[in-house]
Amino acid sequence: GEDVEQSLFLSVREGDSSVINCTYTDSSSTYLYWYKQEPGAGLQLLTYIFSNMDMKQDQRLTVLLNKKDKHLSLRIADTQTGDSAIYFCAEKDNFNKFYFGSGTKLNVKP
Amino acid sequence: GAVVSQHPSWVICKSGTSVKIECRSLDFQATTMFWYRQFPKQSLMLMATSNEGSKATYEQGVEKDKFLINHASLTLSTLTVTSAHPEDSSFYICSARDLMRGGELFFGEGSRLTVL
C-alpha cells in the first residue's frame, strides 16, 4: 500500500492553534482526509480536500495541501480540551482504497 | 451524516471460539464495505473489502479462512473471527461507502475483541 506518515504526538495549550502534519507518497491521490478518533470509538470524518485544491477552511479547521511536496496539514484554531483525540490523515487512491497514517495523538492542556 | 453501526461494541471470548461482528449502514445502501483492524497506538490496517453479493477481497497477509466476511445485503456485512486466539484481540472497525454522497466513507464505532 501507499505510505502515509504522521508524527505520533502533539501537545498544545488550550486556546493555542494546533498544526498536525502528514506526508504521503501516492501522487495520484484524488482526495485527502482528516479523521478524528476519540478513545474507544470509531473514526469521525472532520474534513477532506480534493487534490487540486491548496486550502480548505471549515470553521476552526484549515487544511493545507502542498501537492508538490505531498504534504498535508490540519490546523485547529483555538484548540479546546474537547479536541484531544487521535487525528488520522488518509488518502484515497484511484482504486478508491484508503490508506491511513499512524495517527497523531493531540493532547490539549488546560 | 450517514450512520454506520457496529455490533457488538465489546466482546470477550474464550480461545478457540468464533466471534461474529456486524456492520450495518443505517440510512444508506452500501455495495462496498471495508474491514479494518487497529492495534494499540497504531493506524488502521485494511483487512478486506466486502462486496455485496460476491466474495470479499482480502489484503495481502490476511487469512481469509480466519476472518470470514459475508456481505449478504446492501446494508449488512459481517466479520467472523474463527477459532479466535489471544493474538486476534484487537479493535475492529468497519466502514461503508455511500455512493449517493460521492463515495464518502463512513465508519462504525468499532468493536473491541478480547480473546482470553
Side-chain angles (χ1 to χ4, degrees), chain A residues 46-110:
Chain A
L46 285 179
T47 187
Y48 64 91
I49 188 168
F50 188 49
S51 58
N52 69 352
M53 295 171 64
D54 297 324
M55 186 183 86
K56 181 178 179 181
Q57 187 155 1
D58 183 3
Q59 298 182 331
R60 290 192 298 125
L61 304 178
T62 303
V63 179
L64 295 178
L65 175 61
N66 182 328
K67 196 171 181 181
K68 175 177 170 289
D69 294 338
K70 300 188 184 69
H71 182 268
L72 181 73
S73 68
L74 173 70
R75 179 176 180 269
I76 305 173
D78 187 25
T79 314
Q80 303 297 308
T81 54
D83 294 324
S84 293
I86 300 176
Y87 291 80
F88 291 92
C89 69
E91 61 162 345
K92 183 169 74 169
D93 69 9
N94 285 334
F95 300 99
N96 284 325
K97 275 192 177 178
F98 280 66
Y99 297 94
F100 289 84
S102 54
T104 299
K105 185 170 184 178
L106 174 64
N107 179 42
V108 182
K109 295 178 283 189

Side-chain angles (χ1 to χ4, degrees), chain A residues 13-67:
Chain A
R13 291 206 174 276
E14 191 173 21
D16 289 349
S17 292
S18 307
V19 179
I20 302 171
N21 294 301
C22 173
T23 57
Y24 59 98
T25 57
D26 184 6
S27 58
S28 65
S29 296
T30 54
Y31 287 89
L32 295 122
Y33 301 79
W34 283 103
Y35 287 87
K36 177 182 180 182
Q37 184 183 36
E38 298 186 8
L43 274 68
Q44 172 196 358
L45 177 65
L46 285 179
T47 187
Y48 64 91
I49 188 168
F50 188 49
S51 58
N52 69 352
M53 295 171 64
D54 297 324
M55 186 183 86
K56 181 178 179 181
Q57 187 155 1
D58 183 3
Q59 298 182 331
R60 290 192 298 125
L61 304 178
T62 303
V63 179
L64 295 178
L65 175 61
N66 182 328
K67 196 171 181 181

Side-chain angles (χ1 to χ4, degrees), chain A residues 37 42 45 96-97 100-101, chain B residues 38 43 59 97 104 107-109:
Chain A
Q37 184 183 36
L45 177 65
N96 284 325
K97 275 192 177 178
F100 289 84
Chain B
Q38 186 181 29
S43 186
E59 295 299 301
R97 173 168 289 138
E104 186 175 336
F107 286 81
E109 317 94 316

Side-chain angles (χ1 to χ4, degrees), chain A residues 1-3 91 93 95-100, chain B residues 32-37 39 44-51 55-69 79 93 95 97:
Chain A
E2 304 301 332
D3 282 334
E91 61 162 345
D93 69 9
F95 300 99
N96 284 325
K97 275 192 177 178
F98 280 66
Y99 297 94
F100 289 84
Chain B
T32 305
M33 293 184 176
F34 302 90
W35 286 96
Y36 296 84
R37 183 173 178 176
F39 293 100
L44 284 76
M45 181 193 76
L46 178 64
M47 298 174 66
T49 303
S50 173
N51 303 298
K55 291 182 180 180
T57 306
Y58 289 82
E59 295 299 301
Q60 193 172 7
V62 178
E63 300 175 59
K64 60 182 179 182
D65 295 329
K66 172 77 171 175
F67 299 100
L68 300 178
I69 291 173
L79 168 69
I93 302 178
S95 66
R97 173 168 289 138

